[in-house]
Amino acid sequence: MYIPLFSESRPRLERRKGGGGGKSSGGGGKGSSSKSSRGSSKSSGGSGGGKKSNVPLPSGGSSHGKSSATTYGYGGGKPIVIPAGQPFAGRSAGGATRSQIFGTKSYGSGYPGTTGRGVAGRGFPFWFWPVVWGSTAAETAPYLNGSEYGDSFNTSRFGGPLMEATFISNNSNPNTTFHIVSDNSTVTSLIDTVSGNCSSHLSLSSDKTPFPFNASSPSAPQPGQVIQYYRASSVALTLDSYNNSATFSSNQNATDTPLPSNIDMTLLNCLNQTIALSVPLVDGSPVLFAVPSVPTLMLLSLVISSISSFI
């Protein structure tokens, strides 16, 4: 799996340092989620630069019998057709692997074998549902309408309702505040892996607890601030100081606005790599595959000439 870098800086992921980046100073004062989705402390042999661990999934009509996902797992397995009587009956679910984790800045990207913007009527190659945006955004750009998946508080969502976490650079640059938006189980898990891998780049005011994502709030992360989608648009990484004009263009091939030049690229690359390597996946039947190690991924990146498309 090739991990695209956002600049020519190629930082190594750092090993966990005594429990991460220190105690939070309040996580921005925002509400916390339930603790039911906290990842299990039990882990198996490491792959991809980290140890696999189980991430509990809420039980419900959309779980299809899946009780957990796996950090640093491979994914895969045989896709199913969702049976009658369950949400989105007749659509496919499962089968995608970590090597297919990346989308782009465009909503609806990251679906293996599927191109074009928007998420309407699509299956669930990674099981997880796509993030949803507010009605105001959907009115401006109809392809941003994800209302068939419910609002951001929908507890039927695979992995639980949408949550967000804030990650702020410690280099005193006010323009470097990132957010991860995804389901509760995923955000809770990523807080742990990001805190472990990127602690030396994070401000103490970064969140240690996920809080509800209110898609209708003007102060919440917005679709024009997305700098990367992952896992069939079920995870979004946003940057506060970014505004992508292509998001609201009627031309789906419009050129993305470049990222600001004065942000902490080292933290951005660490976030990008950590999400790609560790975001929870539902593993299929046991396979003899392993997620590539970080050094291997870095070597692969040296032979890719399309880095400029990610900046």
Side-chain angles (χ1 to χ4, degrees):
M1 179 180 69
Y2 162 60
I3 291 186
L5 301 177
F6 287 86
S7 75
E8 295 201 6
S9 169
R10 294 179 172 84
R12 281 186 70 184
L13 294 187
E14 300 171 4
R15 294 184 181 274
R16 183 179 292 273
K17 298 179 180 179
K23 295 181 179 180
S24 169
S25 60
K30 299 184 180 180
S32 63
S33 69
S34 66
K35 298 179 181 180
S36 61
S37 294
R38 174 66 62 183
S40 169
S41 61
K42 296 179 181 179
S43 59
S44 59
S47 63
K51 290 184 177 181
K52 290 185 178 182
S53 63
N54 290 328
V55 178
L57 299 172
S59 60
S62 66
S63 64
H64 308 295
K66 305 295 182 181
S67 60
S68 67
T70 307
T71 62
Y72 298 99
Y74 180 77
K78 185 178 180 179
I80 68 163
V81 175
I82 299 174
Q86 297 193 23
F88 309 107
R91 301 189 194 184
S92 63
T97 67
R98 190 166 296 278
S99 64
Q100 299 168 308
I101 205 77
F102 278 104
T104 64
K105 296 181 180 70
S106 179
Y107 186 53
S109 63
Y111 284 76
T114 302
T115 58
R117 300 193 297 186
V119 297
R122 294 190 180 180
F124 308 91
F126 293 95
W127 295 94
F128 294 88
W129 301 6
V131 301
V132 295
W133 301 107
S135 58
T136 300
E139 290 170 1
T140 306
Y143 81 94
L144 292 172
N145 187 345
S147 59
E148 66 191 81
Y149 305 100
D151 62 23
S152 56
F153 305 109
N154 185 3
T155 57
S156 297
R157 171 178 288 271
F158 195 95
L162 289 177
M163 310 295 284
E164 63 173 293
T166 303
F167 299 96
I168 304 171
S169 170
N170 64 3
N171 72 353
S172 71
N173 188 328
N175 293 317
T176 308
T177 297
F178 300 100
H179 304 269
I180 293 175
V181 178
S182 191
D183 61 276
N184 186 32
S185 295
T186 295
V187 172
T188 301
S189 173
L190 287 174
I191 286 175
D192 287 343
T193 54
V194 168
S195 295
N197 289 332
C198 309
S199 60
S200 63
H201 310 299
L202 291 172
S203 165
L204 294 181
S205 59
S206 297
D207 288 323
K208 298 300 185 292
T209 305
F211 54 92
F213 172 65
N214 182 355
S216 299
S217 172
S219 62
Q222 300 297 311
Q225 295 175 321
V226 174
I227 59 176
Q228 184 68 58
Y229 285 102
Y230 311 81
R231 207 181 60 183
S233 293
S234 66
V235 181
L237 177 64
T238 72
L239 172 64
D240 278 3
S241 57
Y242 184 59
N243 185 17
N244 188 5
S245 62
T247 301
F248 294 101
S249 172
S250 59
N251 177 11
Q252 68 173 353
N253 297 315
T255 301
D256 291 319
T257 301
L259 295 180
S261 60
N262 59 340
I263 62 173
D264 186 344
M265 298 302 297
T266 302
L267 174 57
L268 173 53
N269 280 324
C270 190
L271 287 168
N272 183 48
Q273 292 181 40
T274 300
I275 295 169
L277 289 169
S278 73
V279 68
L281 297 184
V282 175
D283 284 334
S285 55
V287 291
L288 298 178
F289 298 98
V291 179
S293 65
V294 171
T296 299
L297 290 166
M298 302 305 265
L299 288 173
L300 287 173
S301 70
L302 295 177
V303 300
I304 303 296
S305 60
S306 59
I307 292 176
S308 60
S309 66
F310 294 94
I311 59 176

